[in-house]
């Protein structure tokens, strides 16, 4: 795919999300979601492999289903009230359709079944867009509709997502599936928090986007598609593996890394509103996720398979005197912020 076409498609995706975030009309919101989805489909199947095409078709069918539910719910609302505004009170049928549609788009359980397979079949850069940017618009809708939407239904879905996200990632060896189940769990944390504090949910979304972007980019740079590749890359680029390990632990919420602020923010607002039982269940579910994050870090740091002496010193001999590329500087900045950005994220409480 040429650079001009890719630039146009990326701009269209940004435009679709901007339309959804700034609009208060259901029909315009539906148009923004469809623009973003249709512009993303050609990018997803750019490598044109059978697995890639399969993942693209699955993604398109799920997005078409969720868009149909959203449009039908909005049409029922317009038929009964004569208004397309998202600010007007809605009936139960409309809210049920919209709730299910947003759960599909975000990847909340039990509407999560498509997400791991789709992410596994996509390259890292395309998977990054699906796992991060494409979730901004539906999450903003959930934040906006937190007073009208079925809160009990989405809170239960979020709690199940935390458990399934941790349980599903236990026996996975493919890094993209591990990131998919991790995203499902994190979406559960963000959605539950949004009903008790929109400001806290926004902080969590920013931290999630920051850490996930850094992990996807560094895994793409090192071409780490499975956990077995971590042992080989550890011999060739020790610093990169240290960054990868710290980013994975940060995503798991291990203090004092940046990802700890994601769960700390949620627990702070939930406990402040006296939701002790719900917080306890969320903590218990997150322990499953933290277990396989720690297992990955343990394997990387302690299990070193025998290698030829030349491969052990390849990273030393490949040191060049050329200036670092802009991509390397950007990835380094994201990695550092994803690991030790607590002093940066703390002011978000004051700003937001």
């Amino acid at each position: 795919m040429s650079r001009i076409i890719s630039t146009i498609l990326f701009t269209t995706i940004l435009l679709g999300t901007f339309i959804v975030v700034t609009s208060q009309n259901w029909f315009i919101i539906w148009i923004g979601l469809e623009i973003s989805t249709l512009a993303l489909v050609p990018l997803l199947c750019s490598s044109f492999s059978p697995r890639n095409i399969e993942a693209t078709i699955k993604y398109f069918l799920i997005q078409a289903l969720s868009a149909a539910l959203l449009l039908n719910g909005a049409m029922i609302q317009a038929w009964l009230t004569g208004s397309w505004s998202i600010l007007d009170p809605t009936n139960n049928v409309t809210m049920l359709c919209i709730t299910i549609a947003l759960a599909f788009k975000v990847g909340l359980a039990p509407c999560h079944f498509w997400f791991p397979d789709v992410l596994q079949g996509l390259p890292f850069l395309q998977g990054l867009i699906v796992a991060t940017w494409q979730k901004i618009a539906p999450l903003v809708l959930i934040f906006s509709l937190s007073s009208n939407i079925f809160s009990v239904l989405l809170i239960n879905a979020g709690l199940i997502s935390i458990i399934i996200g941790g349980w599903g990632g236990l026996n996975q060896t493919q890094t993209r599936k591990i990131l998919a189940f991790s995203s499902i769990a994190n979406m559960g944390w963000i959605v539950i928090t949004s009903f008790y504090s929109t400001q806290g949910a926004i902080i969590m979304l920013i931290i999630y986007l920051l850490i996930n972007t850094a992990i996807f980019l560094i895994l793409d740079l090192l071409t780490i598609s499975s956990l077995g590749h971590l042992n080989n890359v550890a011999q060739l680029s020790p610093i990169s593996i240290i960054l990868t390990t710290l980013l994975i632990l940060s995503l798991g919420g291990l203090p004092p890394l940046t990802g700890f602020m994601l769960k700390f923010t949620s627990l702070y607002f939930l406990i402040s509103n006296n939701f002790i039982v719900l917080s306890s269940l969320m903590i218990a579910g997150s322990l499953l996720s933290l277990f396989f994050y720690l297992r990955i870090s343990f394997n990387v740091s302690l299990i070193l398979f025998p290698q030829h002496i030349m491969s052990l010193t390849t990273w030393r001999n490949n040191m060049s005197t050329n200036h670092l590329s802009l991509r390397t500087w950007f990835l380094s900045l994201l990695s550092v912020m994803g690991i030790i950005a607590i002093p940066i994220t703390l002011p978000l409480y004051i700003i937001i």
Side-chain angles (χ1 to χ4, degrees):
M1 185 177 295
S2 66
R3 183 172 298 179
I4 296 177
I5 297 177
S6 299
T7 303
I8 294 174
L9 292 176
F10 276 117
T11 306
T12 307
I13 293 173
L14 297 178
L15 177 62
T17 304
F18 180 76
I19 290 173
V20 174
V21 172
T22 58
S23 178
Q24 295 182 351
N25 185 288
W26 280 117
F27 187 71
I28 302 300
I29 289 173
W30 175 79
I31 291 177
L33 292 173
E34 287 302 289
I35 289 175
S36 183
T37 300
L38 294 177
L40 181 60
V41 168
L43 292 174
L44 297 184
C45 60
S46 57
S47 62
F48 210 73
S49 62
R51 187 69 181 88
N52 189 234
I53 298 297
E54 178 189 353
T56 305
I57 293 174
K58 288 180 179 179
Y59 177 78
F60 176 76
L61 292 176
I62 291 297
Q63 295 304 310
L65 173 62
S66 60
L69 286 172
L70 183 66
L71 183 60
N72 285 331
M75 290 179 65
I76 294 173
Q77 173 71 11
W79 180 39
L80 295 177
T81 64
S83 173
W84 289 87
S85 176
I86 65 174
L87 301 178
D88 293 338
T90 53
N91 58 83
N92 292 334
V93 177
T94 298
M95 277 295 98
L96 181 62
C97 293
I98 293 174
T99 301
I100 297 175
L102 294 178
F104 269 112
K105 285 189 173 294
V106 172
L108 285 178
C111 306
H112 70 288
F113 53 87
W114 62 275
F115 190 63
D117 287 337
V118 168
L119 208 62
Q120 176 61 29
L122 298 176
F124 280 107
L125 294 181
Q126 285 86 337
L128 171 63
I129 300 175
V130 173
T132 56
W133 186 263
Q134 288 299 99
K135 294 190 176 182
I136 294 178
L139 283 175
V140 169
L141 286 178
I142 292 176
F143 299 163
S144 303
L145 300 172
S146 58
S147 59
N148 295 330
I149 208 167
F150 283 157
S151 59
V152 176
L153 182 61
L154 276 185
I155 288 174
N156 290 328
L159 185 59
I160 297 173
S161 298
I162 295 173
I163 298 173
I164 290 180
W167 194 271
L170 288 178
N171 294 324
Q172 299 296 331
T173 58
Q174 301 295 318
T175 53
R176 278 167 290 193
K177 279 198 172 182
I178 291 175
L179 291 176
F181 283 107
S182 172
S183 178
I184 293 171
N186 284 321
M187 285 300 106
W189 280 87
I190 295 174
V191 169
I192 291 176
T193 308
S194 66
F195 291 101
Y196 304 106
S197 174
T198 304
Q199 294 84 357
I202 293 174
I203 295 174
M204 295 173 66
L205 178 60
I206 294 173
I207 298 174
Y208 167 79
L209 295 176
L210 176 70
I211 299 176
N212 247 34
T213 302
I215 290 179
F216 270 94
L217 290 179
I218 198 170
L219 292 181
D220 177 60
L221 179 66
L222 301 176
T223 62
I224 302 174
S225 59
S226 67
L227 297 183
H229 294 162
L230 287 170
N231 296 305
N232 297 327
V233 179
Q235 314 293 333
L236 304 177
S237 180
I239 296 177
S240 298
I241 288 301
I242 292 173
L243 287 177
T244 305
T245 304
L246 290 176
L247 283 171
I248 290 174
L249 291 177
S250 179
L251 190 62
L254 190 70
L257 303 177
T258 304
F260 169 70
M261 295 300 298
L262 192 148
K263 293 180 172 57
F264 175 80
T265 303
S266 177
L267 294 176
Y268 172 79
F269 287 107
L270 289 176
I271 294 176
S272 298
N273 289 281
N274 296 322
F275 292 98
I276 308 298
V277 177
L278 180 60
S279 302
S280 303
L281 294 175
M282 293 168 64
I283 293 173
S286 67
L287 291 178
L288 294 171
S289 300
L290 186 59
F291 173 78
F292 66 77
Y293 290 133
L294 291 173
R295 187 189 65 180
I296 295 171
S297 304
F298 180 80
N299 291 339
V300 173
S301 59
L302 296 182
I303 301 178
L304 299 179
F305 294 106
Q307 298 288 335
H308 193 273
I309 188 64
M310 295 301 293
S311 66
L312 290 174
T313 58
T314 303
W315 66 277
R316 302 176 186 271
N317 298 329
N318 285 340
M319 297 293 290
S320 60
T321 57
N322 297 330
H323 294 290
L324 294 177
S325 63
L326 182 61
R327 178 185 178 184
T328 305
W329 281 108
F330 178 68
L331 182 56
S332 302
L333 178 63
L334 280 179
S335 300
V336 171
M337 293 182 65
I339 295 171
I340 53 172
I342 288 182
I344 301 175
T345 56
L346 282 176
L348 290 176
Y349 290 96
I350 302 176
I351 297 174
I352 298 179

